[in-house]
């Protein structure tokens, strides 16, 4: 996993979590869902890149 991809995955997770929690605090369900989706995308990107590293010789 390249350093750039690791950083992007971590940033998506952190920003998504922050957006989700802030939206939850102000009771904005739409924005909360978007934050959760961003967080999930970051976690999936991290998992995908991790599995690609596992298969490299």
């Amino acid at each position: 996993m390249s350093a750039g991809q690791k950083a992007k995955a971590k940033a998506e997770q952190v920003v998504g979590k922050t957006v989700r929690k802030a939206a939850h605090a102000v009771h904005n369900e739409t924005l909360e869902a978007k934050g959760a989706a961003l967080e999930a995308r970051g976690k999936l990107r991290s998992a995908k890149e991790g599995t690609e590293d596992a298969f490299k010789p």
Side-chain angles (χ1 to χ4, degrees):
M1 184 171 179
S2 70
Q5 289 297 323
K6 281 183 183 180
K8 190 172 184 177
K10 185 65 175 174
E12 284 180 337
Q13 289 176 33
V14 171
V15 171
K17 186 174 185 177
T18 303
V19 168
R20 181 176 53 82
K21 287 186 176 235
H24 181 74
V26 296
H27 307 290
N28 187 333
E29 293 177 4
T30 303
L31 193 56
E32 186 177 354
K34 288 181 180 180
L38 184 61
E39 184 180 5
R41 186 169 63 200
K43 288 181 180 180
L44 289 174
R45 181 187 306 274
S46 180
K48 175 186 166 238
E49 293 296 326
T51 57
E52 286 178 1
D53 286 345
F55 288 110
K56 289 183 180 175

